[in-house]
Amino acid sequence: MDFEIRRALPEDIPAILQLIQELAVYEKEPEAVEINEATLLQYGFSEEAFFNCYVAEFRKEVIGMALFYPRFSTWKGKSIHLEDLIVTQKMRGKGVGRALLDKVVAYAHQQQLKRVEWVVLDWNTPAVEFYNSYGANVMQEWNTVHLDEQGIQNAIEKINT
């Protein structure tokens, strides 16, 4: 299969958003996506750019993406967080995900970063097996912790009382 991995362009935004929504459905949270095309444009393709993104393209159609952004590890130093590595359902198993991950890893190497990190749902066996076969360390003893928007608001109310 002959596909191309390249840096995402603003005209890719509708396809990127579609992939994000496809992932949300796969992860059983179809209503969780709150961003829109304007958000992706503002934070990915402007002077305020907060993330980088590569897309996989086959016959002029975006079939996958890898979206990542800078982090800093107090133990290791400069790193990146791979927020999403998505390949559309019909194109999985054709090497697209590996090629996208290779591109992100090559970027990290070129930037002399110390780590690329991401999270994977424990029930997503195909992804866990893929990451293990890639040589990644799937750290099962770590839990992802976050405050969502409501959690932040609740914390602020407690802080201010």
Side-chain angles (χ1 to χ4, degrees), residues 32-46:
V33 178
E34 296 179 9
I35 65 164
N36 56 35
E37 291 181 15
T39 305
L40 290 169
L41 181 64
Q42 179 179 1
Y43 294 111
F45 303 93
S46 72

Side-chain angles (χ1 to χ4, degrees), residues 70-81:
R71 290 188 67 157
F72 187 83
S73 165
T74 56
W75 289 6
K76 302 296 181 186
K78 292 183 348 180
S79 63
I80 55 176
H81 180 81

Side-chain angles (χ1 to χ4, degrees), residues 88-117:
T88 192
Q89 179 72 35
K90 66 182 179 183
M91 300 305 272
R92 292 185 189 144
K94 299 180 182 341
V96 178
R98 180 171 294 276
L100 283 163
L101 187 53
D102 286 349
K103 189 74 169 179
V104 172
V105 170
Y107 171 88
H109 181 261
Q110 188 266 331
Q111 297 292 315
Q112 299 180 321
L113 303 179
K114 299 292 187 177
R115 181 166 55 202
V116 177
E117 60 185 58

Side-chain angles (χ1 to χ4, degrees), residues 12 33 93 135 143 147:
D12 297 318
V33 178
N143 292 310
L147 286 172

